[in-house]
Amino acid sequence: MADVNLTVDGKKVTVPAGTLLIEACRAAGIEVPAFCYYPGLSLCGACRMCMVRIEKMPKLQTACTTPVAEGMTVHTETPEIAQARKATVELLLGNHPLDCPVCDAGGECELQDMTFKYGAPTSQYVEIKQHREEQQWSPVVYFDRPRCIMCYRCVRVCGEGMDVWALGVQNRGAGSVIAPNRQDHLDCEECGMCIDICPVGALTSDTYRYKTRPWEMNHVATVCTHCGDGCKTTLGVRRADDGMEIVRGDNRDKSGINEDFLCIKGRYAFDFANHPDRLTKPLIRQADRSFATATWEQALELAAKKLKEVRDTKGPDAIGVIGSNRTTNEENYLLQKFARTVLGTNNIDHHRTADYVSFVRALAGKADRAASLRDAGTAPAILLLGNDPTEQHPALAWALRTNVRLNKAKLFLVNTSDIKLRRQAKAFLHIPEGGYADAVRFLGSNDADFHGIEGAADFRDALRAEPKLLILFGSEFRGHDIDALVSFGLSLPDARFACLADYANSRGAADMGLLPDLLPGYRPVAAPGPFAEEYPNLPQKPGKDLIEMFDAAERGELGALYVVGANPVERYNVDPASLKNTFVIVQEMFLTETAQIADVVLPAANLYEKGGSVTNSYGDLQLVKKAGDRAGVRSDLELIVRIADRMGAKPQQLVPFGRGLRADTGQSRGAQSGEADRHSIWLASRQIEPKVSPFDPYAVLDEIARLVPGYDVERMNLLAGNDVRTKLVSIEPAASTTRRDLVLPAQDALFTSGTLGRYSAKLAEVHESHRKSPAETAAD
Amino acid sequence: MSPEMNSVPNTIFSPELAARFDKLVTLYPARRSALIPMLLYAQDEVGAVNDAVIAEIAQRIGITELDVRNVISYYSLLHTKPHGKFHVQVCTNISCMLRGGNEMLAHCKEKLGIGNKETTPDGIFSLEEVECIGACCWAPAVQVNYDFHDNLTTEKMDAVFENYRQKAGKS
Amino acid sequence: MPELVSHPEEVKVISRRWGQGAADIDKYIELGGYAALRKCIEQGPEWVINEMKTSGLRGRGGAGFPTGMKWSFVPKQSEKPKYVLVNGDESEPGTCKDHLIFLHDPHSVIEGTMIAGLAIGAKVGFIYLRGEYRYLIEIMERALAQCYERGILGKNIFGTGFDFDALSHTGAGAYEVGEESALMESLEGKRGVPRIKPPFPAVVGLYGGPTVINNAETIASVPFIIEMGGAAYAKLGTERNGGTRLFGISGKVNRPGVYELPMGYNLKKMIYEVAGGIPNGKALKAVVPGGASCPILRADEIDVGMDFDQMGKAGTMLGSAGVVVLDETVSIVEFALRTIKFYQHESCGWCIPCREGTDWLKKTMTRFYEGYGTTKDIDNMRYLAENMLGRTFCPLGDAAAMPMIGFFKKFRDEFEEYIRANPSAPESQALVELVGA
Ligand SMILES: Cc1cc2nc3c(=O)[nH]c(=O)nc-3n(C[C@H](O)[C@H](O)[C@H](O)COP(=O)(O)O)c2cc1C
Ligand code: SF4
Ligand code: FES
């Protein structure tokens, strides 16, 4: 669209035609106050705070509803305008409780800010205020009606943004009130977007309300540990007796890949970190099979000794290593490097929730066709096969809805069930159970008929006409089905692809080579390329996969099993008795089913308690930052290095620290909590200069950037807290494709999150309350 | 929900009203336009827009119950709790006030023995002070259900009450 | 049945058929009905719009916008269907004229709607009546059904190829729904919250299509204008204020009622001659000239012609032409309280200044009326009202603020006197300290 020139407070501004005046002012660096206006949501013009003077217009105009016009001259801060805003604030305060000292929003309240800027220092109002008791609307949402200023943000974000429509406006005039869909409670997706978007303290969350003051927290923007979308979440942390306690999760830093969005898990399900069952002391199995707490020295010594013993007596093939979907890339990388170079085995695997191996192979040489999550918000057309993003990828669902709503993107769905996103879909191909392979074959064929489904051919024709199609698919697709889908997509001019997986770092686990046959970057162990040199003594034969490891244990051939941040016993229904002859070392937060059968349990930090990077389903790489801190736990990175060290390996060989200049961001030093700097003590005791540490994830990241194709990303951007693209698929397709299908979808829904979810009291509570009353919503 | 599939097999309305609603939704360019008339006609038959009415109408239109409630609570003629058989609405707005509207309200309160927005124990009458009902030139005016009574005096009002009481007795 | 009045000064144009049973289509046709429609179909849309412009008809809903011009704003070509929407929400206190039109001459509304449709290229018209007017809706429904029976509505009307459908629609009690954009929301089955303007209804209206919205009296005038010709109609009134108007006179007069008088008719004459003066030999105190939203005129300000422009010059508005007469016995304080109570009750609540402003004014006025007012309250209330003016989302805020400002401006002494004279007035020093003297 053509550009329009206007003058705002004497500044010349040029913006595209159709821009709203309030946005044009913002573009010129002039903030026009607004309560009801919220970018991306429908316009209200209700709060009247954004009134400005436009020359040649008789009255003050609302900047939020006025599109710019050529030659417009605008004044945004005249005495007349200040008086109008002051009057509006006075009117609001007339009925607003002045309970700022205890209000959750105190210090972060837009009404407070406006009162400070424009408000009257004295009040004319002596009438009795309308009082209403606070109401609890859901396990997480509270509503304090008198504080509500009726900006309708919550109603719109819930309806337009979430497509849940659980909030409404009832009554009229001064009696107007925001109302939940079940009269006295909410039946919704519990995303908490309404709380986030509320400019005042009318909507508050159960997890945070009356807990602390905003200025008493540190705000750490990091990446959510739950699903594969990798939303940025800002954790509010506060000193506690045993470290730094996370007291709030929200999305006040809207710079993330999730933009405005955050779901229930990113917002509330940080509480597992504070769970009373959290392990904080190493445990060692006693002769009577019971656990006893031990010192770190004892536990690490025992673990290292056993691993060394099995390696040296039974051979490296008698050791298995299982990594995690929730640890950092650096930890995953290090774990496989440890397995391959210190233990000397390729027996390494993880719980796979998507077939990235096939995906990467299918896209070989076409790294530029791999899509980012951000593409879901901008692509003109999207084909989604399988999956239910509303439940499994809430941020993706948000991006798709927003894209359809604001950009009129076309959404095409292929699914066996009638998923909620169907309401946004332009076309929906409802296929029979198990019909994905057929569906893809149909898309690539010229068949007239597909299971007699009406409109199937039109659906295919419409897709073929899309010049820029984004193709997303779920874990329903594996192996050859992925090949077929990708080859269909590559027949279109500029299709892009993403393969959806379930956990915060499922993609990173695969990319970093937690696979028995593939090295980091999906390099076959038989053709290791640069790793041949980097990894001395790298075994060339593919190792055992996860199932094979347990089979070997059953046969009594697995001397030791090292499990980092995973719960295979529960996931794969492993009979604990089958491991009776295996020495099991588990790094965990909780005494999971797997930890319960361990011989040594090492209490580990979680993703909110350390630094590093993670890769979401789409290959977007982001930094995680240390927010919480729990006395007694150690990061998995540290534990791996220390076990290796005790086994006699050289830490410098494992972690290339001390080479070149590198910032030590302090995560491994507990800089935030002011705790004893145990790492510098450790370093000092070994006469190593405590400037850079073997526990520094950035040192590992350096090596990843160097050796993993596609991970050589823009470092500055990454360090600045932005998401950057990895481009990993430049390797040749692997020759052997006889692997069996090991994908086991997590089957998490909106209110579950694998083992972790069980330790989130809030998530469990919400899950329970929704099992009682299943959600039901309808479109407007 | 697709707008076509809203046939209601177990309607709570009379066959006539159900048929009327089936037709009503087809008369407008958008189905939802039938909402407010439907609510009012349903209220006339059922006595209030109660939960059952809300549920069925939400289904007929294809919107959420919340949406229906949002609308109901906006309009002053719609009520979720039943009124008396005869709902006496006394206008006290300016034109009526100038010709004795307030006195008429006081008289009705006394005569019926109830206050504003209350119902007589026998359920025959309920009383409400209302805003202008469009009978300003024939003030003071009172509406009983949908019937207008103009140019009232307290005596005439008593006769009006008597009339309704008899009607109530008959049915 | 509301009483019909008449007076020799009246010029009966739209009230011509009242009291003659014209709600029945045969009677209506016998009295010349549906001839205007035939003529318009023959002459075509351009001609109709020209006649309307010539007639000088200005909207009878309140704002007085020239009707011919409004119709001409509708784009000729439109992807979406166009509509005519008749505003029969009639809820402005002091106004009951549309009531009589619907009762005595519903076909004039139908015929006017069809002519408007023809002029703008709409095929569908909606006649929205306030929910309280149930018996009038039933009359309207019968009239519409008769039209369909006679082929006057539906397809190929009079064999001319002109198609038109019309539908009556009930509201459910809300003054704000009379505002044109809120009216569209309501017709679409939503809460009566107004829409952001622009776009104006003539461009984007009902169901997204271009829509002409006119008051019922405006629409009912149309066939008569066509019948007598725009120029002749214009001559009945004053400059830029064509025709006659239905004045509803209520309150303290001897013969309240709805009178059809030429535009520009003198207000004083209207009260003393047409409506028979003030009962019981009392003196006139003030007049609200055009429905509750119009600023009040003092007794010494009523020698003025009742048209849009002259009323504007007098510092008030013609509004809906509901003339409410107050004699010396009326307390302005009580009147002001009743007025603001109305707006507080009817504010849709969407925007802050209107929602909070009307509520605050009502609360303070209530306290004041109960005898606990201070002089500072009068200043505060005026400040409040002045800060609502021109700042609200729709004109309801202005409609509440304007009369209130008028009361405080013109009758300040009476408010002050009220504080002194009221027996329960506070000696309470505490209150004075809280509010200010
Ligand atoms: C708060 C408010 C209430 C209104 N109520 C009515 C009404 O009841 N009837 C009406 O015809 N116009 C009413 N109007 C005016 C309408 O918005 C609109 O101007 C009118 O229907 C246009 O028709 P006209 O041009 O024929 O006057 C109201 C306006 C406002 C701001
Ligand atoms: S609850 Fe908050 S977001 Fe919702 S309308 Fe009130 S102030 Fe706005
Ligand atoms: S931001 Fe413009 S009116 Fe609220």
Side-chain angles (χ1 to χ4, degrees), chain A residues 453-724:
Chain A
I453 298 170
E454 212 180 303
D458 294 344
F459 185 95
R460 179 180 59 198
D461 292 347
L463 285 178
R464 288 182 179 172
E466 284 304 333
K468 256 177 147 358
L469 185 66
L470 171 63
I471 300 178
L472 304 163
F473 59 92
S475 57
E476 295 88 343
F477 285 81
R478 297 169 203 171
H480 294 303
D481 295 347
I482 294 180
D483 294 337
L485 180 56
V486 168
S487 88
F488 164 70
L490 291 177
S491 75
L492 304 177
D494 189 15
R496 279 157 192 274
F497 305 86
C499 166
L500 303 171
D502 293 338
Y503 293 108
N505 206 22
S506 288
R507 174 64 178 265
D511 284 3
M512 292 305 121
L514 294 185
L515 296 162
D517 52 343
L518 297 170
L519 289 157
Y522 304 92
R523 236 173 233 295
V525 289
F531 289 102
E533 238 168 80
E534 298 280 340
Y535 289 9
N537 315 322
L538 173 70
Q540 304 268 316
K541 190 170 77 62
K544 294 186 175 61
D545 65 34
L546 196 144
I547 305 291
E548 286 164 350
M549 290 181 217
F550 286 108
D551 290 347
E554 180 113 53
R555 293 191 303 271
E557 293 166 11
L558 197 72
L561 180 67
Y562 180 24
V563 182
V564 175
N567 189 7
V569 170
E570 192 264 347
R571 278 286 166 198
Y572 293 86
N573 244 330
V574 176
D575 175 10
S578 67
L579 286 155
K580 61 179 185 300
N581 296 321
T582 307
F583 188 83
V584 181
I585 304 161
V586 174
Q587 291 177 195
E588 249 308 341
M589 276 191 289
F590 300 102
L591 208 55
T592 61
E593 289 82 349
T594 307
Q596 276 164 30
I597 58 159
D599 296 282
V600 180
V601 183
L602 305 171
N606 60 56
L607 200 63
Y608 294 150
E609 296 166 341
K610 60 191 168 197
S613 71
V614 287
T615 310
N616 70 4
S617 274
Y618 318 82
D620 301 306
L621 181 68
Q622 301 184 81
L623 281 194
V624 296
K625 297 206 187 97
K626 179 168 176 165
D629 188 20
R630 186 79 184 225
V633 306
R634 300 282 191 269
S635 76
D636 293 297
L637 190 102
E638 175 183 336
L639 294 175
I640 299 164
V641 174
R642 291 183 68 180
I643 290 173
D645 177 51
R646 284 180 183 267
M647 287 178 72
K650 280 210 180 72
Q652 283 91 340
Q653 234 159 43
L654 219 43
V655 181
F657 69 103
R659 287 191 219 148
L661 265 183
R662 209 164 297 106
D664 180 347
T665 54
Q667 10 277 324
S668 51
R669 297 214 191 162
Q672 298 204 25
S673 65
E675 66 186 11
D677 189 346
R678 52 180 189 262
H679 309 117
S680 63
I681 294 166
W682 186 89
L683 292 165
S685 70
R686 280 164 175 71
Q687 280 94 43
I688 299 168
E689 235 210 329
K691 222 194 309 182
V692 283
S693 123
F695 308 143
D696 181 356
Y698 295 90
V700 182
L701 185 58
D702 278 348
E703 184 164 312
I704 293 173
R706 191 165 56 80
L707 291 177
V708 182
Y711 270 77
D712 187 13
V713 298
E714 226 187 300
R715 198 58 178 267
M716 187 66 94
N717 218 357
L718 179 70
L719 291 177
N722 299 323
D723 48 290
V724 296

Side-chain angles (χ1 to χ4, degrees), chain A residues 22 26 32-38 43-51 61-66 151 153 156, chain C residues 350-352 393:
Chain A
I22 195 167
R26 284 179 184 180
V32 174
F35 290 128
C36 67
Y37 174 74
Y38 197 90
L43 302 180
C44 282
C47 74
R48 322 305 286 173
M49 278 304 281
C50 66
M51 296 218 127
Q61 302 290 320
T62 45
C64 72
T65 60
T66 311
C151 66
R153 286 187 194 175
R156 286 173 290 157
Chain C
W350 185 249
C351 76
I352 294 170
F393 186 66

